[in-house]
Amino acid sequence: MPETIAGMSAIADRFDAFLVDQFGVLRDGRGPYPGAAAALSALKQAGKTVIILSNSGKRSAENSERLAKLGFDAASWDWFLTSGEVAWRLLARESEAQADRPTACLLISRDGDTSPIDGLPLRRVDSGADADVILLAASEGDVYPLDHSRTLLEPAARRGIPCLCTNPDKVMLTREGTAFGAGRIAELYQELGGDVRWIGKPFPDIYTTAREFMTGIDASRICCVGDSIEHDIGGAREAGLSSVLVTTGILAQASAEERQALFKEHGAVPDFLLPAFIW
């Protein structure tokens, strides 16, 4: 059973590095949680390596700047690592290996956002029929039905075009309620026969990139903090890292029995339970 702790100070001495989720731990859609900024600063002041680990299709710098504008001290984290950043680096390496011709990319994002591929030697196309690679960075499930995605992706699936999904979330929150997320579009691509490389928690690439940054820190001294049993706690388990489940965010209304059911469903039990990310 997880050990319940009152604040991060209770376990700070047990670890040298912390991988901290953003949404549901540090903030929600309205702004920062009370005490979260102070707790993050306290971890850094205690000499810990702090990486914010986020399933955002946008790159690291953009997310880091946005969090600082919300009142968090940018000096309280060493790196803001996003799944979008991991994918950008993967595509950059692959593009270098195929420098003889630009890779045609079908980018699916929100509000015309091209930041997931800006600076890459990619040629953007509007249909899977013309693509060499697909990048699923976000969903506009509140604007277009899933059949819109089917029309875009079906020709690519028939041709065996690889797809990278940088946000595994299958449901997203919008101002009007919920809609299908990028993860659901990626599932659709698999249903159509296409191959998807999932980038982000709980999948390996984002943890591998984080570990490369934390050279010399043993896995036993690294702890992940998150609000999602599927993504944060499951990802930590697969990466061989300890974990803290914060019962804010998506589990704010969940009972102890409902959490237990989710532990069983995802085969992932956190080492610690924390009511809120406070020091």
Side-chain angles (χ1 to χ4, degrees):
M1 291 293 293
E3 175 186 345
T4 299
I5 57 175
M8 292 300 295
S9 60
I11 60 169
D13 290 343
R14 305 189 200 183
F15 302 99
D16 298 320
F18 290 87
L19 307 182
V20 183
D21 183 36
Q22 178 187 197
F23 276 100
V25 175
L26 300 177
R27 57 170 295 204
D28 61 15
R30 295 180 294 273
Y33 288 127
L40 203 64
S41 291
L43 277 179
K44 194 66 205 144
Q45 290 164 9
K48 309 303 175 181
T49 297
V50 178
I51 297 178
I52 300 175
L53 208 62
S54 174
N55 278 357
S56 168
K58 295 180 181 294
R59 295 191 63 195
S60 291
E62 184 175 346
N63 276 275
S64 190
E65 291 166 5
R66 182 173 59 184
L67 196 62
K69 288 178 181 177
L70 288 174
F72 287 83
D73 181 1
S76 63
W77 59 87
D78 295 279
W79 195 16
F80 196 129
L81 178 58
T82 68
S83 48
E85 182 71 27
V86 175
W88 192 94
R89 293 175 179 226
L90 286 171
L91 288 169
R93 288 198 294 267
E94 292 172 3
S95 296
E96 285 179 8
Q98 301 175 5
D100 56 322
R101 66 182 183 92
T103 300
C105 177
L106 172 61
L107 170 66
I108 297 179
S109 61
R110 283 186 70 81
D111 305 320
D113 177 31
T114 62
S115 63
I117 61 171
D118 285 347
L120 292 173
L122 300 176
R123 177 173 55 87
R124 191 176 180 187
V125 296
D126 298 322
S127 169
D130 305 312
D132 299 316
V133 65
I134 298 165
L135 179 59
L136 291 177
S139 167
E140 289 187 312
D142 52 340
V143 179
Y144 301 107
L146 194 58
D147 277 346
H148 174 76
S149 300
R150 184 186 302 274
T151 300
L152 287 176
L153 297 174
E154 202 162 23
R158 286 199 300 265
R159 295 167 50 232
I161 299 302
C163 171
L164 280 72
C165 177
T166 58
N167 191 332
D169 295 347
K170 299 175 182 64
V171 178
M172 67 175 184
L173 296 175
T174 73
R175 292 179 181 177
E176 288 74 33
T178 60
F180 62 85
R184 177 65 190 101
I185 302 174
E187 280 187 336
L188 171 64
Y189 195 64
Q190 290 179 321
E191 291 163 8
L192 293 170
D195 181 55
V196 175
R197 183 171 182 174
W198 298 83
I199 310 293
K201 301 173 290 185
F203 302 99
D205 285 309
I206 195 167
Y207 294 96
T208 299
T209 304
R211 291 296 306 276
E212 289 169 353
F213 182 85
M214 299 182 293
T215 303
I217 301 178
D218 190 79
S220 65
R221 299 289 295 177
I222 301 171
C223 186
C224 301
V225 184
D227 70 315
S228 168
I229 296 167
E230 178 182 5
H231 297 131
D232 301 306
I233 308 308
R237 180 206 61 195
E238 291 298 320
L241 308 176
S242 299
S243 64
V244 177
L245 178 67
V246 179
T247 56
T248 50
I250 61 174
L251 294 178
Q253 305 303 318
S255 66
E257 291 75 18
E258 288 169 331
R259 288 198 301 268
Q260 288 292 335
L262 288 169
F263 295 159
K264 184 176 181 180
E265 177 183 346
H266 298 294
V269 180
D271 297 284
F272 308 98
L273 278 179
L274 180 62
F277 188 75
I278 57 176
W279 184 244

